[in-house]
């Protein structure tokens, strides 16, 4: 068994091993289309690096096809790696959801409620990433919007980060998530709204 050199910090080596394991596990969750590393917008990279003064949460918006989802997956991966620097607080738990799947999961079950384990996971995860929040063609029910508010409010009061991608600005999602979540979002994403512009990359590839 190899031994640490005299100059090697055993605790740092242990953290590095945990980090590598966490990143490998997260890599397995990234959809194949978004696994390639890309150059991140500087503000997105700053959020992922958790630097001093960086916002707790991030709302990434822009037109279709500019790379919001790809940026979000790679920023989340980078965020996971940064959690092992400094004071180690355990392996981060990341919840990743496409909005339409999340809204379906939050609907009342046969017992007339939302599964408590799911709600707890969404409220307490180290990071909650919701992709394409305005994708729903039909607005969620009032029940689902109330559950969303419970999730957002709990994360807000405990300063737990949220990452959202959208093709519209935060103040334009009330018809999807409800007025209460939209109002809370103004505080959650204060200083953390980033616009990605440019042409639709999918059309460029198809041309």
């Amino acid at each position: 068994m190899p031994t640490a050199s005299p100059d090697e910090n055993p605790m740092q080596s242990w953290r590095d091993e945990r980090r590598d394991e966490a990143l490998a596990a997260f890599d397995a969750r990234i959809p194949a289309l978004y696994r390639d590393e890309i150059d991140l917008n500087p503000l997105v990279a700053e959020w992922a690096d958790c630097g001093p003064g960086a916002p707790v949460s991030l709302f990434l918006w822009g037109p279709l096809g500019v790379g919001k989802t790809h940026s979000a997956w790679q920023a989340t991966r980078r965020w996971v790696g940064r959690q092992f620097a400094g004071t180690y607080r355990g392996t981060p738990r990341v919840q990743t959801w496409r909005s339409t799947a999340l809204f379906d999961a939050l609907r009342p079950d046969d017992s007339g409620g939302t599964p408590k384990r799911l709600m707890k996971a969404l409220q307490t995860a180290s990071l909650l990433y919701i992709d394409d929040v305005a994708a729903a063609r039909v607005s969620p029910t009032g029940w689902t919007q109330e559950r969303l508010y419970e999730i957002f409010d709990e994360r807000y009061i405990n300063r737990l980060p949220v990452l959202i991608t959208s093709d519209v600005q935060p103040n334009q999602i009330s018809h999807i998530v409800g007025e209460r979540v939209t109002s809370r979002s103004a505080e959650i994403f204060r200083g953390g709204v980033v616009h990605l512009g440019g042409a639709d990359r999918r059309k460029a590839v198809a041309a």
Side-chain angles (χ1 to χ4, degrees):
M1 175 180 289
T3 58
S5 68
D7 296 331
E8 190 174 0
N9 184 326
M11 179 57 73
Q12 184 59 51
S13 296
W14 181 82
R15 278 201 297 260
D16 289 347
E17 289 179 10
R18 300 289 83 75
R19 179 200 62 208
D20 293 346
E21 290 171 359
L23 288 174
F26 188 76
D27 284 343
R29 297 169 55 186
I30 301 177
L33 187 62
Y34 307 122
R35 288 178 185 166
D36 290 341
E37 290 188 26
I38 58 174
D39 291 331
L40 293 175
N41 174 287
L43 295 176
V44 175
E46 181 182 5
W47 171 83
D49 289 340
C50 309
V56 173
S57 296
L58 182 69
F59 193 104
L60 192 57
W61 75 281
L64 297 174
V66 297
K68 298 184 299 295
T69 298
H70 201 153
S71 293
W73 276 107
Q74 288 300 312
T76 299
R77 185 187 189 279
R78 186 159 163 170
W79 183 94
V80 169
R82 293 299 188 272
Q83 301 310 298
F84 293 86
T87 303
Y88 179 71
R89 294 179 294 276
T91 300
R93 295 171 291 108
V94 180
Q95 285 278 323
T96 60
W97 289 83
R98 184 169 174 81
S99 63
T100 47
L102 176 61
F103 299 157
D104 283 343
L106 291 176
R107 289 175 179 168
D109 58 18
D110 293 338
S111 67
T114 299
K116 292 182 178 179
R117 181 176 296 180
L118 172 61
M119 284 294 293
K120 188 71 172 177
L122 294 168
Q123 289 175 324
T124 63
S126 307
L127 172 64
L128 172 60
Y129 163 32
I130 304 174
D131 185 52
D132 207 359
V133 75
R137 294 291 178 263
V138 179
S139 298
T141 64
W143 168 277
T144 299
Q145 290 179 346
E146 284 296 316
R147 303 295 77 73
L148 285 170
Y149 178 74
E150 291 177 18
I151 293 164
F152 274 71
D153 190 57
E154 187 71 17
R155 298 190 67 82
Y156 169 72
I157 62 178
N158 288 296
R159 291 187 61 79
L160 292 172
V162 178
L163 169 58
I164 282 181
T165 66
S166 173
D167 58 0
V168 297
Q169 300 181 57
N171 61 3
Q172 297 176 315
I173 61 174
S174 60
H175 66 293
I176 298 293
V177 301
E179 294 290 349
R180 298 178 73 194
V181 172
T182 304
S183 175
R184 176 59 81 215
S185 295
E187 298 179 72
I188 290 174
F189 298 107
R190 190 181 302 278
V193 178
V194 176
H195 176 252
L196 290 186
D200 189 330
R201 300 179 186 179
R202 301 186 189 102
K203 292 182 179 179
V205 171

